[in-house]
Every structure is written in C-alpha cells, then in structure tokens.
Amino acid sequence: MRRLFPVTDETAAQTRGDAEWSLAELADAYAYPEPEAGGGGPGVWLRANMVSTLDGAGQHDGRSQPISSAADMRIFGTLRALADVVVVGAETVRQEGYRPARARAEFAGMREAARQGPVPAIAVVSASLDLDFSLPLFTAPLVPTLILTGAAAAPDRTAAAEKAGARVVVAGDGVGVEPARAVQALAGLGHTRLLTEGGPRLLGQLVAAGVLDELCLTVAPMLTAGDAQRIAGGPSVGVPQRFGLVSLLEEEGFLFSRYGRS
Ligand SMILES: NC(=O)c1ccc[n+]([C@@H]2O[C@H](COP(=O)([O-])OP(=O)(O)OC[C@H]3O[C@@H](n4cnc5c(N)ncnc54)[C@H](OP(=O)(O)O)[C@@H]3O)[C@@H](O)[C@H]2O)c1
C-alpha cells in the first residue's frame, strides 16, 4: 500500500509501494480527530466507511463483498477497531448477514488505552424491527447490540429484541429514527467515536441531516453497469455539501480516500 496524499517528509516513509501496512500503521492513519465539534455536537465524530465502483455502484448482486478487496477489508476492520459503535441500517444487516464484531488481539491494547470495550457495539437502525432476533448478532455479541428505533415501534418487536439481549434505544417520535437524535442518543451512552457502514438509504439520511463528519470511501477499480444503488440514497440535499480530502492510500488500483467536512 502507498500513501498518495498527503506526501510529506513524515509520510514519505509510508510511500512504500507493495509493502503491506501493519494494522497499527492503518490505525494511526485513520485515528479519530481529537474531540471537537462534529456535526452531531461537541466531542462526537461520525464517519462513514463505504465502497464504490468506478461507475458508482455500492454493491453487486446485493452485497458489497464482490467490489471489495483484501486491503479494503483490513481498513474495514481497522475502522471498526477504532470505533465505539458501528451504526448500520437494518437492510444491510439482513442482506449481508451481519454477525457480532469479533475481538482482535492486535487491537486489544489500543482499545484498552482508549478506554473502549473489547469491540464496538453494533447499533442497528430499524423502524419495522423485522429482524431475526435469534441470530448471534443479538444473542451472542461481546457487548450488547443496540437497536435504534422510534417511540412508536411495535411493542412486541421491541420486547423480542430485549428478550434476545439487545438494548433498544429510542431516537424518534414516530416509528422512524431521526438521525440527529440517534447521534445524540449514542453520545449519551458514551459513544462518541461513531462509525456507520451504511447502507445507502441510511447514509443518505445522515448526510441530509448534516451529521456526517467524514467519509472513508474506497474506490474499487471496477465497472459493473446496471442499476445498483450508489452509496447514499434518498432525497438529495438542497446544496451540495463540500468535503475536503484528508488522505488517499492506494493498493492494487483500489483507492482508499478519507474526506472530512470542510
Ligand atoms: N457500498 C457499501 O459500502 C455498502 C455499505 C453497506 C451496505 N451496502 C449494500 O446496500 C444494500 C442495503 O442498503 P439499503 O440502502 O437498501 O438499506 P440500509 O440503509 O442498510 O437499511 C435500510 C433500512 O434501515 C432502516 N432505516 C433506515 N433509515 C431509518 C430511519 N430513519 N428510521 C428507522 N429505520 C430506518 C429501515 O429498516 P426496517 O426496514 O427494518 O424498518 C430500512 O429499511 C445491501 O445490498 C448492501 O450490500 C453497501
């Protein structure tokens, strides 16, 4: 992997072509900013990690795995290891068969030093709560899985979620979740380093609500054509939101960009 941007005297050593970066180097490259005011409020930082093909597809055959790579998965794992919580839409959980985050020895010391639990909590955003609560994601995580939903969610489904061991967090007055309230609710639980893994319908709402601080976007050197969803959907924002390039890494033609709110 090589760093294409920024290139300074300090980073020149990381422009090493084929050498694989250690997980510690990746964790350094993707460290959360020091606590400051993000879109979700002081001290809270919400980043998204998404992958897209050259022609803008965020999935192939309903999954992101075919457009990912080994380096992309290393960064995916590193971003999880840095986060307090992973926020994900229910459809991605259903389609990608989400499992609980697993503890990794390589990151144990880093998480302990950051006063984080062994793994980030997974927070599933859902209005219908049409989720299989018998799955390990709900029954056997290392830290309880959170369900972000609205106050009007079906009581029998919230009861089923809680019976399975999940923690239901209300972040909306109707059945749906209001993005800014979700961020605040997570911050209220002590989760300030937030990571969302999409999907596009959820990401679009986070963008529209102005609570997304950073986008870690992998550009896969692939063309898929077709009508796959792009990485953010839903109604478009009134004025395009401007983000600045923070860093750009490359391996085997895959670009790993990091854009922050300008
Ligand atoms: N390219 C990438 O990096 C990437 C990343 C992730 C996923 N994906 C792909 O994207 C596809 C799934 O994405 P998607 O956009 O269809 O779905 P999604 O955003 O993962 O999930 C949509 C679901 O989330 C819940 N939800 C979203 N907003 C909500 C709100 N405000 N309040 C309450 N619930 C809300 C609803 O769940 P309920 O229906 O349960 O109410 C909704 O049906 C999959 O094919 C996956 O492979 C790609």
Side-chain angles (χ1 to χ4, degrees), residues 32 66 112 127 143 188 209 233 243 248:
Y32 276 83
E112 211 179 310
V143 298
F243 280 63
L248 183 63

Side-chain angles (χ1 to χ4, degrees), residues 38-133:
V44 185
W45 191 262
L46 173 60
R47 70 165 35 141
N49 181 29
M50 304 294 287
V51 57
S52 169
T53 63
L54 297 176
D55 50 344
Q59 55 182 279
H60 189 62
D61 285 342
R63 306 200 61 192
S64 49
Q65 185 273 335
I67 58 172
S68 179
S69 69
D72 185 45
M73 291 318 296
R74 281 168 69 77
I75 291 173
F76 179 93
T78 303
L79 293 180
R80 278 194 166 195
L82 289 163
D84 297 337
V85 64
V86 176
V87 184
V88 61
E91 191 59 28
T92 295
V93 168
R94 290 188 283 257
Q95 289 207 29
E96 304 258 358
Y98 259 48
R99 296 189 53 79
R102 62 189 176 91
R104 296 178 60 177
E106 306 96 311
F107 295 119
M110 182 186 84
R111 290 192 66 88
E112 211 179 310
R115 296 202 198 94
Q116 291 172 304
V119 292
I122 307 282
V124 183
V125 180
S126 175
S128 73
L129 301 187
D130 182 13
L131 295 155
D132 181 352
F133 293 119

